[in-house]
Amino acid sequence: MSLTEKIQDIKKKEGTGQFLRFCINGVIAAAIHYGVYFLLQLWIDVNIAYTAGYLISFIYNFIATNYFTFHTTPTWKNFIGFAGSHGVNYFLHIILFNIFLWAGVHRLIAPPLVMLVAMLVQFTILRFVFKKRN
């Protein structure tokens, strides 16, 4: 195997590892998001509860995405990119959330469906933000 082939093989494995770590991190962030939402939706509007859960999970997610998923150190540049991607992601979430509610999906079932769809979109965006430049 040539050196170029070995480097390409390592990069493929790194991408697979990143995606696996992204999924683990995403499950934890989603659990935080859903847990906060579940508690708050008992007392306040579901959109406000959903947003509060999103913001709290955002804080955890930024730290874990840096250290765990992409093995990077947090920087302002990463934070701005992360916040920008999550701004787009939040609007995707809230639009899908309200579409599911409008379609009659129960308010406790809609969040996991939204998170599943948004996860794939978010990984694609974040991979560009946190990709190490050679």
Side-chain angles (χ1 to χ4, degrees), residues 4-96:
T4 304
E5 291 171 332
K6 286 181 184 180
I7 291 170
Q8 288 174 346
D9 189 47
I10 291 169
K11 284 186 177 184
K12 279 184 188 175
K13 288 178 183 174
E14 178 182 317
T16 301
Q18 283 178 349
F19 185 72
L20 180 60
R21 292 188 305 271
F22 175 82
C23 290
I24 292 167
N25 183 43
V27 167
I28 295 168
I32 292 168
H33 182 180
Y34 188 79
V36 171
Y37 167 78
F38 180 81
L39 293 174
L40 292 180
Q41 60 86 33
L42 297 170
W43 297 286
I44 63 176
D45 177 74
V46 293
N47 282 292
I48 295 170
Y50 194 85
T51 299
Y54 191 92
L55 290 173
I56 291 169
S57 75
F58 171 85
I59 295 165
Y60 158 79
N61 205 348
F62 176 69
I63 294 166
T65 296
N66 272 280
Y67 290 114
F68 178 65
T69 303
F70 294 106
H71 299 152
T72 58
T73 303
T75 65
W76 282 110
K77 182 180 176 183
N78 282 359
F79 179 78
I80 291 167
F82 192 81
S85 75
H86 271 272
V88 170
N89 194 44
Y90 170 75
F91 285 111
L92 175 64
H93 269 251
I94 206 71
I95 289 166
L96 287 172

XYZ file of all heavy atoms in Angstrom, residues 4-96:
763
model
N 0.196 7.404 -0.085
C -1.035 8.127 -0.428
C -2.263 7.297 -0.070
O -3.226 7.822 0.486
C -1.056 8.467 -1.929
O 0.123 9.197 -2.254
C -2.277 9.279 -2.296
N -2.214 5.995 -0.361
C -3.337 5.119 -0.030
C -3.508 4.998 1.478
O -4.635 4.975 1.975
C -3.130 3.734 -0.653
C -3.249 3.739 -2.168
C -2.824 2.403 -2.789
O -1.973 1.694 -2.198
O -3.349 2.099 -3.878
N -2.409 4.942 2.225
C -2.486 4.872 3.687
C -3.113 6.138 4.258
O -3.953 6.073 5.154
C -1.097 4.662 4.291
C -0.562 3.272 4.124
C 0.799 3.126 4.750
C 1.371 1.744 4.486
N 2.699 1.560 5.069
N -2.723 7.281 3.734
C -3.283 8.554 4.197
C -4.782 8.612 3.898
O -5.572 9.017 4.753
C -2.532 9.749 3.556
C -1.114 9.817 4.113
C -3.278 11.054 3.790
C -0.210 10.804 3.395
N -5.178 8.180 2.725
C -6.605 8.167 2.373
C -7.380 7.215 3.275
O -8.498 7.505 3.677
C -6.789 7.797 0.906
C -6.370 8.907 -0.039
C -6.427 8.491 -1.502
O -6.525 7.321 -1.825
N -6.359 9.484 -2.389
N -6.783 6.079 3.607
C -7.419 5.116 4.498
C -7.620 5.721 5.886
O -8.681 5.569 6.494
C -6.581 3.833 4.573
C -7.298 2.718 5.304
O -8.495 2.485 5.005
O -6.658 2.077 6.166
N -6.610 6.415 6.393
C -6.716 7.068 7.703
C -7.814 8.126 7.675
O -8.612 8.239 8.615
C -5.359 7.680 8.122
C -4.364 6.563 8.434
C -5.512 8.629 9.308
C -2.926 7.038 8.588
N -7.868 8.896 6.616
C -8.902 9.929 6.499
C -10.298 9.318 6.470
O -11.227 9.854 7.059
C -8.663 10.797 5.262
C -7.539 11.785 5.442
C -7.431 12.718 4.253
C -6.341 13.737 4.494
N -6.268 14.721 3.413
N -10.471 8.193 5.786
C -11.769 7.520 5.759
C -12.155 7.078 7.165
O -13.288 7.253 7.585
C -11.727 6.296 4.838
C -11.871 6.597 3.382
C -11.900 5.301 2.592
C -11.851 5.550 1.105
N -11.758 4.296 0.360
N -11.207 6.480 7.883
C -11.482 6.018 9.247
C -11.781 7.199 10.157
O -12.639 7.127 11.024
C -10.318 5.204 9.780
C -10.198 3.848 9.128
C -9.005 3.080 9.643
C -8.883 1.755 8.911
N -7.668 1.031 9.252
N -11.059 8.316 9.979
C -11.308 9.503 10.785
C -12.724 10.006 10.556
O -13.428 10.365 11.496
C -10.303 10.611 10.446
C -10.543 11.895 11.229
C -9.574 12.989 10.830
O -8.383 12.715 10.670
O -10.052 14.130 10.679
N -13.166 10.031 9.318
C -14.526 10.472 9.003
C -15.566 9.571 9.642
O -16.566 10.041 10.177
N -15.330 8.269 9.628
C -16.244 7.318 10.256
C -16.263 7.525 11.766
O -17.327 7.551 12.380
C -15.826 5.867 9.926
O -15.833 5.709 8.513
C -16.769 4.870 10.556
N -15.083 7.704 12.358
C -14.997 7.958 13.793
C -15.675 9.257 14.180
O -16.373 9.326 15.193
N -15.477 10.278 13.373
C -16.135 11.558 13.638
C -17.649 11.394 13.608
O -18.347 11.934 14.462
C -15.724 12.610 12.608
C -14.362 13.193 12.837
C -13.993 14.189 11.752
O -14.662 14.306 10.725
N -12.906 14.903 11.975
N -18.137 10.670 12.624
C -19.584 10.500 12.523
C -20.115 9.716 13.722
O -21.154 10.063 14.277
C -19.970 9.810 11.211
C -21.459 9.725 11.024
C -22.192 10.873 10.739
C -22.119 8.523 11.149
C -23.571 10.814 10.580
C -23.493 8.454 10.994
C -24.222 9.593 10.707
N -19.396 8.686 14.148
C -19.817 7.911 15.312
C -19.818 8.790 16.564
O -20.785 8.784 17.337
C -18.902 6.697 15.515
C -19.222 5.802 16.698
C -20.631 5.227 16.573
C -18.202 4.693 16.803
N -18.754 9.566 16.763
C -18.698 10.480 17.922
C -19.781 11.545 17.820
O -20.391 11.921 18.815
C -17.317 11.111 18.038
C -16.231 10.113 18.420
C -14.900 10.769 18.720
N -14.385 11.615 17.660
C -13.606 11.189 16.661
N -13.255 9.910 16.586
N -13.169 12.035 15.743
N -20.042 12.019 16.605
C -21.108 12.990 16.383
C -22.447 12.403 16.814
O -23.254 13.082 17.469
C -21.144 13.392 14.912
C -22.283 14.298 14.560
C -22.199 15.660 14.796
C -23.434 13.791 13.989
C -23.254 16.500 14.465
C -24.490 14.622 13.654
C -24.398 15.979 13.895
N -22.688 11.153 16.458
C -23.949 10.499 16.831
C -24.085 10.351 18.340
O -25.152 10.617 18.909
C -24.068 9.142 16.143
S -24.328 9.269 14.363
N -23.012 9.927 19.002
C -23.039 9.789 20.463
C -23.315 11.144 21.108
O -24.173 11.273 21.987
C -21.714 9.189 20.979
C -21.589 7.729 20.524
C -21.612 9.299 22.504
C -20.200 7.141 20.700
N -22.568 12.154 20.681
C -22.760 13.501 21.194
C -24.180 13.987 20.906
O -24.819 14.604 21.765
C -21.727 14.444 20.569
C -21.821 15.837 21.111
O -21.975 16.050 22.300
N -21.740 16.810 20.227
N -24.675 13.691 19.727
C -26.023 14.102 19.354
C -27.099 13.460 20.209
O -28.085 14.110 20.570
N -26.903 12.194 20.565
C -27.875 11.511 21.422
C -27.916 12.178 22.802
O -28.993 12.418 23.355
C -27.547 10.000 21.538
C -28.327 9.336 22.662
C -27.827 9.300 20.212
N -26.739 12.497 23.335
C -26.691 13.161 24.641
C -27.315 14.555 24.563
O -28.127 14.929 25.416
C -25.243 13.220 25.166
C -24.728 11.805 25.431
C -25.151 14.077 26.435
C -23.226 11.726 25.670
N -26.958 15.319 23.538
C -27.530 16.661 23.376
C -29.047 16.581 23.175
O -29.796 17.396 23.728
C -26.873 17.376 22.201
N -29.493 15.602 22.404
C -30.932 15.436 22.180
C -31.644 15.071 23.474
O -32.762 15.543 23.734
C -31.176 14.371 21.109
N -31.003 14.235 24.299
C -31.601 13.862 25.586
C -31.731 15.086 26.494
O -32.753 15.260 27.179
C -30.769 12.778 26.265
N -30.703 15.928 26.501
C -30.766 17.167 27.284
C -31.896 18.052 26.746
O -32.731 18.550 27.512
C -29.413 17.912 27.243
C -28.355 17.111 27.999
C -29.542 19.330 27.798
C -26.934 17.599 27.769
N -31.915 18.236 25.425
C -32.938 19.059 24.784
C -34.334 18.533 25.119
O -35.209 19.284 25.568
C -32.691 19.060 23.280
C -33.633 19.908 22.498
N -33.541 20.021 21.141
C -34.695 20.666 22.843
C -34.497 20.828 20.692
N -35.215 21.226 21.715
N -34.529 17.246 24.908
C -35.853 16.663 25.135
C -36.225 16.698 26.618
O -37.374 16.966 26.965
C -35.920 15.231 24.610
C -37.332 14.676 24.657
C -38.252 15.031 23.667
C -37.746 13.838 25.673
C -39.552 14.545 23.694
C -39.044 13.353 25.716
C -39.945 13.709 24.728
O -41.232 13.236 24.760
N -35.259 16.427 27.497
C -35.539 16.447 28.934
C -36.011 17.814 29.402
O -36.996 17.932 30.150
N -35.313 18.851 28.974
C -35.711 20.217 29.325
C -37.087 20.523 28.722
O -37.980 21.051 29.402
C -34.652 21.248 28.867
C -35.158 22.671 29.022
C -33.349 21.046 29.636
N -37.259 20.187 27.455
C -38.550 20.402 26.790
C -39.667 19.676 27.527
O -40.724 20.253 27.806
C -38.488 19.932 25.333
C -39.854 19.820 24.687
C -40.512 20.968 24.248
C -40.495 18.591 24.554
C -41.780 20.881 23.677
C -41.758 18.505 23.983
C -42.392 19.646 23.554
O -43.646 19.561 23.005
N -39.460 18.407 27.840
C -40.481 17.591 28.491
C -40.936 18.233 29.796
O -42.139 18.312 30.070
C -39.959 16.173 28.745
C -40.965 15.282 29.410
C -41.952 14.668 28.645
C -40.945 15.073 30.774
C -42.902 13.849 29.251
C -41.892 14.260 31.387
C -42.872 13.643 30.619
N -39.985 18.693 30.601
C -40.352 19.321 31.879
C -41.056 20.660 31.679
O -42.085 20.926 32.307
C -39.110 19.504 32.751
C -38.458 18.222 33.264
C -37.157 18.539 33.977
C -39.413 17.462 34.177
N -40.513 21.493 30.819
C -41.066 22.832 30.654
C -42.414 22.853 29.937
O -43.261 23.713 30.222
C -40.070 23.730 29.913
C -38.789 24.073 30.664
C -37.897 24.967 29.804
C -39.096 24.754 31.998
N -42.649 21.916 29.010
C -43.900 21.940 28.251
C -45.118 21.691 29.141
O -46.240 21.950 28.738
C -43.864 20.965 27.073
C -43.653 19.512 27.411
C -44.926 18.754 27.737
O -45.998 19.025 27.203
N -44.809 17.797 28.622
N -44.873 21.231 30.346
C -45.973 21.043 31.295
C -46.521 22.378 31.789
O -47.677 22.453 32.209
C -45.507 20.198 32.484
C -45.069 18.765 32.177
C -44.409 18.136 33.385
C -46.255 17.931 31.699
N -45.676 23.421 31.769
C -46.064 24.708 32.353
C -46.068 25.885 31.379
O -46.687 26.898 31.665
C -45.127 25.062 33.521
C -45.221 24.066 34.625
C -46.247 23.932 35.523
C -44.285 23.053 34.949
N -45.994 22.891 36.377
C -44.789 22.331 36.051
C -43.055 22.666 34.414
C -44.114 21.273 36.627
C -42.392 21.607 34.996
C -42.914 20.926 36.083
N -45.328 25.780 30.277
C -45.252 26.923 29.360
C -45.537 26.475 27.931
O -45.591 25.277 27.645
C -43.868 27.633 29.445
C -42.729 26.705 29.024
C -43.630 28.208 30.837
C -41.353 27.378 28.991
N -45.686 27.440 27.049
C -45.937 27.180 25.632
C -44.893 26.214 25.066
O -43.696 26.327 25.381
C -45.887 28.513 24.870
C -46.053 28.327 23.380
O -47.183 28.059 22.938
O -45.031 28.435 22.659
N -45.321 25.295 24.230
C -44.420 24.270 23.706
C -43.277 24.855 22.879
O -42.165 24.331 22.902
C -45.166 23.180 22.900
C -46.059 22.353 23.806
C -45.939 23.754 21.734
N -43.512 25.934 22.146
C -42.432 26.546 21.360
C -41.375 27.172 22.257
O -40.180 27.082 21.965
C -42.991 27.587 20.382
C -43.608 26.938 19.171
O -42.915 26.342 18.358
N -44.921 27.029 19.055
N -41.777 27.787 23.344
C -40.818 28.363 24.293
C -40.052 27.240 24.992
O -38.833 27.309 25.155
C -41.527 29.280 25.303
C -42.128 30.491 24.571
C -40.563 29.730 26.403
C -43.049 31.347 25.412
N -40.757 26.188 25.386
C -40.106 25.041 26.021
C -39.105 24.387 25.070
O -37.992 24.015 25.476
C -41.162 24.022 26.467
N -39.493 24.257 23.819
C -38.614 23.647 22.819
C -37.359 24.502 22.626
O -36.243 23.988 22.562
C -39.356 23.473 21.491
C -38.651 22.555 20.528
C -38.843 21.183 20.597
C -37.784 23.047 19.567
C -38.189 20.324 19.726
C -37.133 22.192 18.691
C -37.336 20.836 18.774
O -36.681 19.991 17.924
N -37.536 25.817 22.566
C -36.416 26.735 22.393
C -35.489 26.714 23.600
O -34.260 26.695 23.442
C -36.936 28.164 22.127
O -37.713 28.144 20.919
C -35.801 29.158 21.992
N -36.034 26.692 24.797
C -35.206 26.635 26.015
C -34.378 25.355 26.039
O -33.183 25.378 26.358
C -36.091 26.733 27.259
N -34.989 24.244 25.693
C -34.256 22.980 25.630
C -33.149 23.035 24.602
O -32.045 22.540 24.816
N -33.443 23.669 23.479
C -32.444 23.799 22.411
C -31.253 24.620 22.894
O -30.101 24.248 22.672
C -33.074 24.441 21.173
C -32.195 24.361 19.960
C -32.303 23.291 19.083
C -31.223 25.322 19.697
C -31.484 23.191 17.970
C -30.399 25.230 18.589
C -30.533 24.162 17.735
O -29.709 24.060 16.645
N -31.509 25.735 23.560
C -30.429 26.609 24.023
C -29.544 25.923 25.071
O -28.315 26.046 25.033
C -30.997 27.913 24.575
C -31.601 28.847 23.531
C -32.289 30.029 24.203
C -30.553 29.313 22.539
N -30.155 25.207 25.992
C -29.370 24.509 27.024
C -28.540 23.397 26.393
O -27.363 23.225 26.718
C -30.293 23.992 28.141
C -30.846 25.201 28.914
C -29.550 23.036 29.076
C -31.954 24.883 29.870
N -29.121 22.659 25.469
C -28.350 21.604 24.807
C -27.257 22.198 23.915
O -26.217 21.578 23.716
C -29.255 20.670 24.002
O -29.704 21.270 22.809
N -27.471 23.407 23.404
C -26.477 24.096 22.573
C -25.171 24.300 23.349
O -24.082 24.068 22.805
C -27.038 25.448 22.106
C -26.018 26.326 21.435
C -25.759 26.187 20.086
C -25.322 27.289 22.146
C -24.813 26.995 19.450
C -24.382 28.099 21.529
C -24.128 27.951 20.178
N -25.268 24.706 24.596
C -24.076 24.951 25.417
C -23.285 23.654 25.587
O -22.069 23.620 25.371
C -24.470 25.548 26.778
C -25.087 26.940 26.568
C -23.273 25.612 27.726
C -25.825 27.476 27.780
N -23.981 22.591 26.001
C -23.308 21.292 26.110
C -22.701 20.880 24.766
O -21.552 20.446 24.684
C -24.292 20.202 26.579
C -23.807 18.824 26.185
C -22.818 18.192 26.920
C -24.273 18.201 25.029
C -22.313 16.959 26.527
C -23.774 16.978 24.626
C -22.806 16.362 25.373
O -22.302 15.157 24.980
N -23.484 21.022 23.726
C -23.105 20.535 22.404
C -21.848 21.227 21.871
O -20.998 20.586 21.250
C -24.278 20.724 21.446
C -24.248 19.775 20.285
O -23.258 19.099 20.024
N -25.334 19.722 19.562
N -21.714 22.530 22.098
C -20.534 23.241 21.619
C -19.268 22.682 22.266
O -18.273 22.400 21.588
C -20.630 24.748 21.889
C -19.374 25.481 21.498
C -19.030 25.618 20.163
C -18.533 26.008 22.458
C -17.863 26.285 19.790
C -17.371 26.671 22.100
C -17.030 26.813 20.766
N -19.311 22.493 23.563
C -18.144 21.979 24.284
C -17.825 20.552 23.838
O -16.682 20.223 23.508
C -18.382 22.052 25.812
C -18.473 23.524 26.231
C -17.286 21.327 26.577
C -19.037 23.748 27.614
N -18.827 19.696 23.790
C -18.612 18.298 23.420
C -18.209 18.144 21.947
O -17.398 17.280 21.620
C -19.864 17.478 23.711
N -18.753 18.979 21.087
C -18.395 18.903 19.669
C -16.919 19.212 19.475
O -16.235 18.561 18.684
C -19.275 19.846 18.827
O -20.633 19.392 18.920
C -18.854 19.848 17.368
N -16.422 20.198 20.202
C -15.005 20.533 20.109
C -14.128 19.412 20.639
O -13.294 18.869 19.923
C -14.708 21.822 20.885
C -14.894 23.043 20.036
O -14.027 23.387 19.252
N -16.042 23.672 20.169
N -14.309 19.094 21.912
C -13.384 18.167 22.570
C -13.589 16.709 22.171
O -12.619 15.973 22.009
C -13.495 18.298 24.093
C -12.948 19.595 24.610
C -13.779 20.537 25.196
C -11.595 19.903 24.492
C -13.273 21.744 25.669
C -11.080 21.102 24.960
C -11.927 22.012 25.553
O -11.426 23.193 26.008
N -14.831 16.286 22.020
C -15.111 14.878 21.798
C -15.239 14.529 20.311
O -14.581 13.619 19.824
C -16.396 14.493 22.553
C -16.824 13.064 22.355
C -16.042 12.009 22.811
C -18.013 12.778 21.710
C -16.440 10.697 22.629
C -18.422 11.467 21.522
C -17.635 10.430 21.987
N -16.085 15.250 19.590
C -16.385 14.870 18.208
C -15.225 15.134 17.264
O -14.806 14.257 16.517
C -17.649 15.595 17.705
O -18.737 15.300 18.579
C -17.998 15.154 16.293
N -14.707 16.363 17.274
C -13.697 16.745 16.295
C -12.298 16.931 16.878
O -11.373 17.284 16.149
C -14.136 18.016 15.555
C -15.360 17.790 14.711
C -16.593 18.284 15.108
C -15.288 17.063 13.536
C -17.728 18.065 14.331
C -16.420 16.845 12.759
C -17.643 17.346 13.165
N -12.141 16.704 18.204
C -10.831 16.813 18.866
C -10.148 18.154 18.582
O -8.987 18.200 18.179
C -9.912 15.649 18.482
C -10.460 14.319 18.867
N -10.144 13.181 18.182
C -11.306 13.927 19.844
C -10.780 12.156 18.728
N -11.487 12.590 19.740
N -10.899 19.214 18.786
C -10.369 20.558 18.589
C -10.498 21.344 19.888
O -11.208 20.929 20.808
C -11.123 21.307 17.466
O -12.525 21.366 17.805
C -10.955 20.632 16.125
N -9.823 22.457 19.948
C -9.924 23.363 21.087
C -10.926 24.453 20.724
O -10.877 24.993 19.619
C -8.550 23.995 21.387
O -7.620 22.931 21.623
C -8.616 24.907 22.588
N -11.839 24.793 21.638
C -12.809 25.847 21.321
C -12.113 27.168 20.985
O -11.163 27.572 21.656
C -13.616 25.997 22.619
C -13.426 24.710 23.347
C -12.059 24.224 22.972
N -12.571 27.797 19.935
C -12.080 29.115 19.539
C -13.290 29.977 19.223
O -14.401 29.462 19.026
C -11.191 29.039 18.281
O -12.004 28.594 17.171
C -10.000 28.100 18.468
N -13.079 31.272 19.164
C -14.174 32.162 18.778
C -14.628 31.867 17.353
O -15.821 31.927 17.053
C -13.762 33.629 18.929
C -13.804 34.056 20.363
C -12.742 34.342 21.166
C -14.973 34.209 21.169
N -13.178 34.664 22.425
C -14.554 34.594 22.456
C -16.335 34.059 20.949
C -15.436 34.831 23.497
C -17.225 34.296 21.995
C -16.768 34.676 23.241
N -13.689 31.548 16.495
C -14.044 31.222 15.115
C -14.956 29.995 15.075
O -15.970 29.983 14.373
C -12.778 30.979 14.288
C -13.047 30.673 12.833
C -11.758 30.446 12.067
C -12.058 30.036 10.633
N -10.861 29.740 9.883
N -14.594 28.949 15.844
C -15.444 27.759 15.920
C -16.801 28.093 16.529
O -17.832 27.589 16.083
C -14.782 26.655 16.744
C -13.709 25.912 15.982
O -13.442 26.192 14.824
N -13.071 24.986 16.648
N -16.782 28.950 17.566
C -18.044 29.316 18.211
C -18.967 30.035 17.231
O -20.158 29.737 17.153
C -17.816 30.193 19.444
C -19.099 30.596 20.103
C -19.793 29.706 20.915
C -19.645 31.852 19.882
C -21.001 30.062 21.495
C -20.850 32.218 20.464
C -21.531 31.328 21.276
N -18.410 30.967 16.471
C -19.222 31.711 15.503
C -19.774 30.765 14.436
O -20.956 30.821 14.085
C -18.415 32.879 14.898
C -18.179 33.943 15.967
C -19.130 33.466 13.679
C -17.153 34.995 15.602
N -18.928 29.877 13.925
C -19.396 28.892 12.942
C -20.436 27.953 13.527
O -21.441 27.631 12.890
N -20.200 27.521 14.763
C -21.123 26.620 15.443
C -22.457 27.321 15.679
O -23.522 26.758 15.403
C -20.513 26.172 16.775
C -21.231 25.039 17.442
C -21.014 23.730 17.039
C -22.094 25.268 18.494
C -21.660 22.676 17.670
C -22.742 24.226 19.127
C -22.524 22.935 18.717
N -22.396 28.552 16.182
C -23.625 29.311 16.436
C -24.369 29.577 15.129
O -25.604 29.489 15.084
C -23.298 30.617 17.153
N -23.631 29.889 14.077
C -24.270 30.111 12.779
C -24.959 28.862 12.267
O -26.104 28.915 11.806
N -24.270 27.731 12.370
C -24.887 26.485 11.895
C -26.080 26.116 12.765
O -27.083 25.600 12.275
C -23.866 25.350 11.872
O -23.584 24.880 13.165
N -25.975 26.400 14.057
C -27.097 26.090 14.945
C -28.244 27.077 14.766
O -29.399 26.727 15.038
C -26.647 26.019 16.405
C -26.213 24.649 16.785
N -27.082 23.703 17.258
C -25.017 24.049 16.722
C -26.434 22.581 17.482
N -25.168 22.761 17.158
N -27.943 28.283 14.322
C -29.017 29.216 13.999
C -29.860 28.660 12.859
O -31.096 28.630 12.934
N -29.181 28.193 11.828
C -29.872 27.546 10.707
C -30.601 26.299 11.204
O -31.769 26.071 10.888
C -28.865 27.174 9.586
C -29.514 26.291 8.522
C -28.264 28.424 8.972
N -29.919 25.511 12.019
C -30.492 24.270 12.548
C -31.716 24.559 13.421
O -32.710 23.838 13.358
C -29.435 23.500 13.332
C -29.853 22.080 13.611
O -30.373 21.385 12.753
N -29.611 21.640 14.823
N -31.648 25.612 14.241
C -32.787 25.954 15.101
C -34.023 26.252 14.252
O -35.115 25.775 14.548
C -32.467 27.148 16.000
C -33.704 27.648 16.698
C -34.252 26.945 17.759
C -34.356 28.792 16.255
C -35.413 27.373 18.374
C -35.510 29.231 16.863
C -36.042 28.522 17.921
O -37.194 28.943 18.527
N -33.845 27.049 13.196
C -34.999 27.364 12.357
C -35.540 26.113 11.664
O -36.753 25.949 11.540
C -34.667 28.471 11.353
C -34.609 29.820 12.009
C -33.404 30.477 12.142
C -35.756 30.404 12.529
C -33.344 31.709 12.773
C -35.707 31.636 13.161
C -34.499 32.299 13.280
N -34.652 25.217 11.257
C -35.089 23.936 10.715
C -35.902 23.179 11.770
O -36.984 22.661 11.480
C -33.888 23.106 10.258
C -34.172 21.691 9.766
C -35.032 21.726 8.503
C -32.865 20.953 9.500
N -35.391 23.142 12.993
C -36.081 22.459 14.094
C -37.469 23.049 14.335
O -38.456 22.310 14.401
C -35.270 22.593 15.391
C -34.305 21.498 15.628
N -34.484 20.545 16.598
C -33.119 21.207 15.047
C -33.452 19.713 16.603
N -32.619 20.099 15.671
N -37.528 24.356 14.518
C -38.796 24.971 14.927
C -39.834 24.888 13.814
O -41.025 24.703 14.080
C -38.575 26.412 15.461
C -39.677 26.808 16.440
C -38.436 27.411 14.364
C -39.631 26.116 17.763
N -39.378 24.986 12.564
C -40.315 24.842 11.440
C -40.839 23.411 11.367
O -42.051 23.182 11.277
C -39.647 25.271 10.112
C -39.449 26.797 10.096
C -40.463 24.807 8.908
C -38.517 27.288 9.006
N -39.931 22.421 11.429
C -40.371 21.021 11.399
C -41.253 20.689 12.601
O -42.259 19.980 12.471
C -39.155 20.083 11.373
C -38.369 20.019 10.072
C -37.096 19.208 10.269
C -39.210 19.443 8.946
